[in-house]
Amino acid sequence: RIPVKGVRKVTAQAMVGSAFTAPHVTEFITLDVTRTMKLVQELKDDPDLAGLRINPLLLIAKAVLVAIRRNPDVNASWDEAAQEIVLKHYVNLGIAAATPRGLIVPNIKDAHAKTLAELSASLSDLVATAREGKTSPSDMQNGTITITNVGVFGVDTGTPILNPGESAILAVGAIKLQPWVHKGKVKPRQVTTLALSFDHRLIDGELGSKFLADIAAVLEHPRRLVTWS
């Protein structure tokens, strides 16, 4: 028997509260991220970004931020007492992090206002701080939307539960070389599956679908990081 206390106890209580309060809906999309993976490598070789941690999660985070800009109503919370939807003018982007103490979800404050380099530095600091067990309570408060990268464990995707008070959470699956129809021919391409869970009180099926489709569209054609910004 393992006593449930500390972070694990808080997480358990939060997940039960979220699962039985917010009506969850999860949608899925499988997509070709070959161009994004090529861009990751190009950015790694860019001397202007030397010393920064460049990985697929960074571009996925940027894709989420671009999709929020195009679908601002997804960035909201539910006020039960007032029976109101509260739209947020900022994005505090949560990143689920597995630590020896359990799963925590610190967030990058005002992620929408950060450059790619600033976002990279913030992601690196967030992960390092979490692994060292130094994440402060304030780092985990006031999140708006979260990303959980289950792909690092070789998992295709999942149906994540919302972080309490947030509108949506995106699960990123493993990126694998798979046969894919590209320009009319079957070719090996880098493919992944995204799963978006959202609070159906805040986000209906149309809005959730558009939001997820926009994330996928950016990752399929990452030039949209520029043209859609």
Side-chain angles (χ1 to χ4, degrees):
R1 292 177 178 268
I2 301 173
V4 179
K5 55 186 179 181
V7 172
R8 291 186 186 277
K9 184 174 183 178
V10 172
T11 300
Q13 293 170 340
M15 291 299 96
V16 170
S18 177
F20 293 100
T21 300
H24 284 58
V25 173
T26 306
E27 294 188 340
F28 307 87
I29 190 166
T30 300
L31 61 148
D32 176 1
V33 292
T34 304
R35 292 183 180 90
T36 286
M37 297 303 289
K38 288 181 179 178
L39 179 57
V40 168
Q41 189 56 55
E42 290 172 3
L43 293 174
K44 284 182 177 181
D45 297 334
D46 190 331
D48 291 334
L49 299 175
L52 293 174
R53 183 180 176 84
I54 308 296
N55 56 23
L57 180 59
L58 173 62
L59 295 189
I60 291 166
K62 285 295 289 186
V64 168
L65 294 170
V66 169
I68 291 172
R69 188 179 300 114
R70 287 170 57 84
N71 304 273
D73 287 354
V74 304
N75 193 44
S77 63
W78 181 267
D79 186 331
E80 181 64 28
Q83 289 293 290
E84 293 176 338
I85 292 173
V86 182
L87 298 177
K88 305 295 178 66
H89 62 274
Y90 57 87
V91 181
N92 291 343
L93 184 63
I95 304 294
T99 75
R101 297 186 301 154
L103 181 71
I104 63 173
V105 188
N107 59 75
I108 299 171
K109 300 294 192 285
D110 294 320
H112 65 287
K114 294 185 181 295
T115 65
L116 187 69
E118 291 169 340
L119 187 62
S120 174
S122 295
L123 278 169
S124 296
D125 290 344
L126 180 149
V127 172
T129 301
R131 287 176 177 170
E132 293 167 3
K134 296 180 180 179
T135 302
S136 68
S138 63
D139 291 333
M140 295 184 284
Q141 294 173 352
N142 301 316
T144 56
I145 289 177
T146 285
I147 298 172
T148 179
N149 185 7
V150 298
V152 297
F153 305 109
V155 174
D156 290 334
T157 194
T159 54
I161 296 175
L162 293 166
N163 203 33
E166 298 185 11
S167 61
I169 179 170
L170 179 74
V172 180
I175 298 173
K176 300 177 180 178
L177 200 62
Q178 297 183 31
W180 191 264
V181 178
H182 177 67
K183 296 181 179 179
K185 296 181 179 180
V186 177
K187 298 180 180 180
R189 304 285 287 180
Q190 298 282 352
V191 175
T192 192
T193 299
L194 305 178
L196 181 75
S197 291
F198 52 88
D199 185 339
H200 214 316
R201 298 173 299 179
L202 298 164
I203 301 172
D204 62 20
E206 179 184 12
L207 179 58
S209 298
K210 286 181 176 178
F211 179 49
L212 181 58
D214 278 354
I215 297 170
V218 173
L219 295 174
E220 287 178 328
H221 299 281
R223 67 175 180 272
R224 289 177 172 138
L225 289 169
V226 176
T227 60
W228 284 4
S229 295

